Amino acid sequence: MKKDFVWGVATAATQVEGAAYEGGKGLTVWDVIPTRPNGARQGETAEVACDQYHRYKEDVKLLKTLGVNAYRFSIAWARILPNGDGEVNEEGVKYYSDLIDELLKNGIEPFVTIYHWDLPYELYKRGGFLNPAFPDLFANYTRVVAEAFHGRVKHFITLNEPACIMNRELNEHRLSIKEKLTMVHQLLLAHGKAAKILHEYEGVQVGIAPNSAPPIPKTSSFEDVEAAKKYYFDVERDSIWGPALYSDPVIFGDYPAAYYAVYRKDELPDFGKDDFKIISEPIDFYCQNIYNADCYVSSDKKGGYIVESIPTTCPRTATDWPVKEEGLYYGPKFLCERYHKPFYISENGCAVTDLVTSDKKVHDGAREEFLKRYIACYKKASEECPEISGYFVWSFMDNYEWDKAYSKRFGLVYVDYETQERIPKDSFWYYKKVIESNGENL
Ligand code: BG6
């Protein structure tokens, strides 16, 4: 990989911090959702999770041992502003400030995600993302974050996976097409307003992290590759998936042509005069979370595409995602060719069934193999795309997997949730070697 390549690992506040009712933090939707009748497994909550709030020093020590040069984590909005707006919780600011200092002391660069799904419950009650004030509320929160951490944090990622934010909302609410598109638009406005504020601070770089499952061209013929690209960046009616819906407005200043082709005028959001100017505040880097490839695509020889699903014979991770490493070649390549921004894989990794064996270790050969294959494909993409600048494994440690609670383990570090003991898995030591050789020894 290129010199100065960023090798990192990622987590998110709700998934690792714990201390849900401590340090002056307000409630988030994730303190409430799991306790509902059809919430996460038997109401298992993120109240303690990995207890990183109290154990961050121990965790930074592990990061140092791993040898990463960056740690991507998120800030819990409700720890900074318990009600979503209004009074700042200085204790919450201090927690992140101490974590950042500890990382910097150890030569690890913080990559801060400003929003990773934990909407303050008070804002949820005020209409959440559909509240017309949402973009300004997010901007106001971002101002507090930027004011507190600029100078020490260079890279800020505004939103993690807007498509998944949408998906989770849609599982909760029945919304009309206009409301769905309005919600997408509100998220993008929130991103744009936040990006503008962040840029007021010297040296700050701003990015966004959508997710996608790229297609694999059926053959390497020009026609099939072009058809796969077309499919990847298409907008399907009533679908909130696909990277272009979120990235084109941010980078090109408008939705893709397909968006206007599949929706009627009366279904579109009520665009404000300056909306696209706000949304397209230039970003400094572009991220993508990619866990798997989606399908095979070939040309229909008429300018369209034929989509085939990945057969069940393909090995799958514990979350049933196909192990198709070519996704980490085609995805980054297509995205770099379209958007031309310094590029990071902000999440990639897998859940497997991990067991602590009698030697008190975790021999997660499947995860090691997964990383080996995916990083090799990403490396191939990096040889063709100079934009490729970094890679983050999801996840640094096992954690609270949202609606799957603690049932899926994604970590390079095993967490015994009874004792909070951390055990680096074999994949941890494998990734350490990959980092040490800058991706040469896979
Ligand atoms: C990403 C999220 O979608 O994938 C992470 O950014 C999440 O927060 C990870 O933990 C694993 O996905 P899932 O669907 O198993 O929670």
Side-chain angles (χ1 to χ4, degrees):
M1 298 293 198
K2 69 170 155 191
K3 207 172 133 267
D4 303 330
F5 188 82
V6 173
W7 292 101
V9 283
T11 62
T14 301
Q15 297 181 269
V16 296
E17 268 176 23
Y21 310 115
E22 278 179 63
K25 175 180 157 293
L27 290 182
T28 77
V29 285
W30 281 95
D31 297 317
V32 179
I33 292 170
T35 59
R36 291 182 178 163
N38 53 357
R41 316 266 163 138
Q42 289 126 30
E44 289 179 16
T45 69
E47 184 175 348
V48 179
C50 311
D51 198 27
Q52 189 164 88
Y53 186 78
H54 295 113
R55 295 166 196 262
Y56 72 89
K57 285 195 178 161
E58 183 191 335
D59 288 344
V60 173
K61 228 187 239 169
L62 269 173
L63 289 167
K64 174 91 179 161
T65 306
L66 178 57
V68 287
N69 47 25
Y71 178 45
R72 177 180 173 222
F73 63 93
S74 78
I75 291 186
W77 188 338
R79 203 177 277 294
I80 300 280
L81 293 163
N83 293 315
D85 64 351
E87 212 166 308
V88 175
N89 173 36
E90 294 302 339
E91 226 180 313
V93 175
K94 182 172 180 318
Y95 166 66
Y96 295 110
S97 183
D98 290 349
L99 169 62
I100 290 164
D101 285 346
E102 194 67 18
L103 288 166
L104 294 174
K105 210 167 79 192
N106 285 280
I108 300 164
E109 211 204 315
F111 270 62
V112 169
T113 311
I114 297 179
Y115 185 73
H116 198 127
W117 304 356
D118 42 5
L119 187 70
Y121 191 53
E122 288 306 314
L123 295 188
Y124 173 85
K125 290 197 289 190
R126 285 164 61 186
F129 306 108
L130 272 176
N131 176 351
F134 177 77
D136 286 320
L137 288 163
F138 185 69
N140 171 55
Y141 156 55
T142 300
R143 166 82 65 199
V144 180
V145 169
E147 198 54 46
F149 309 127
H150 76 97
R152 288 178 291 163
V153 176
K154 194 170 157 199
H155 292 89
F156 287 96
I157 296 169
T158 54
L159 302 177
N160 180 68
E161 301 190 355
C164 289
I165 297 174
M166 289 297 302
N167 190 39
R168 280 166 212 265
E169 283 296 304
L170 298 179
N171 284 337
E172 284 240 324
H173 304 109
R174 294 174 77 87
L175 297 180
S176 67
I177 287 189
K178 187 175 178 106
E179 284 169 319
K180 282 183 207 170
L181 298 183
T182 300
M183 203 185 279
V184 169
H185 199 66
Q186 289 263 96
L187 285 168
L188 293 174
L189 281 169
H191 155 83
K193 289 190 175 209
K196 190 159 172 52
I197 286 172
L198 288 162
H199 279 148
E200 289 174 25
Y201 297 84
E202 214 189 306
V204 163
Q205 301 206 359
V206 187
I208 185 167
N211 61 299
S212 62
I216 302 174
K218 189 77 194 277
T219 73
S220 55
S221 74
F222 176 79
E223 290 75 18
D224 285 354
V225 172
E226 288 305 302
K229 259 187 233 173
K230 188 164 196 293
Y231 168 79
Y232 193 28
F233 296 114
D234 217 349
V235 173
E236 256 176 66
R237 186 173 165 81
D238 212 8
S239 162
I240 40 108
W241 303 105
L245 179 62
Y246 307 94
S247 312
D248 275 24
V250 168
I251 298 172
F252 300 146
D254 204 347
Y255 291 103
Y259 173 94
Y260 298 101
V262 296
Y263 294 113
R264 291 193 316 267
K265 227 172 169 189
D266 61 303
E267 291 171 329
L268 302 182
D270 302 319
F271 297 132
K273 180 165 72 58
D274 296 321
D275 282 10
F276 289 106
K277 194 164 163 256
I278 295 170
I279 291 171
S280 61
E281 166 75 17
I283 54 169
D284 307 288
F285 64 100
Y286 176 70
C287 301
Q288 195 85 181
N289 296 351
I290 297 179
Y291 285 86
N292 62 295
D294 192 29
C295 54
Y296 290 110
V297 170
S298 53
S299 161
D300 68 356
K301 316 271 187 231
K302 289 181 268 177
Y305 46 74
I306 300 167
V307 182
E308 277 170 63
S309 51
I310 299 206
T312 54
T313 48
C314 176
R316 304 212 161 220
T317 69
T319 46
D320 207 24
W321 299 341
V323 180
K324 270 277 155 216
E325 57 271 21
E326 296 94 319
L328 223 58
Y329 168 71
Y330 286 110
K333 190 170 148 62
F334 292 168
L335 293 164
C336 287
E337 284 172 359
R338 186 174 179 94
Y339 298 124
H340 295 294
K341 291 281 174 192
F343 180 85
Y344 295 83
I345 283 292
S346 36
E347 288 179 28
N348 171 245
C350 63
V352 299
T353 305
D354 291 317
L355 293 176
V356 181
T357 42
S358 52
D359 55 359
K360 286 283 278 170
K361 293 195 170 140
V362 180
H363 303 295
D364 57 337
R367 183 174 289 104
E368 206 176 306
E369 181 62 26
F370 178 100
L371 293 176
K372 184 180 292 188
R373 293 185 189 185
Y374 276 74
I375 296 173
C377 283
Y378 191 41
K379 195 169 141 191
K380 185 173 156 211
S382 80
E383 283 152 16
E384 297 165 35
C385 309
E387 294 88 350
I388 290 182
S389 310
Y391 173 81
F392 290 80
V393 174
W394 185 273
S395 175
F396 170 41
M397 62 209 310
D398 295 338
N399 58 49
Y400 184 76
E401 269 307 316
W402 309 111
D403 48 322
K404 302 180 196 79
Y406 299 96
S407 67
K408 300 290 174 222
R409 292 178 178 271
F410 273 88
L412 299 178
V413 174
Y414 183 92
V415 177
D416 178 333
Y417 294 109
E418 298 288 312
T419 61
Q420 289 297 341
E421 187 189 355
R422 275 84 162 123
I423 304 174
K425 303 177 192 175
D426 286 359
S427 58
F428 176 101
W429 303 111
Y430 169 74
Y431 189 47
K432 181 178 168 64
K433 282 200 202 138
V434 173
I435 297 170
E436 279 166 359
S437 68
N438 197 28
E440 285 310 300
N441 297 338
L442 291 178

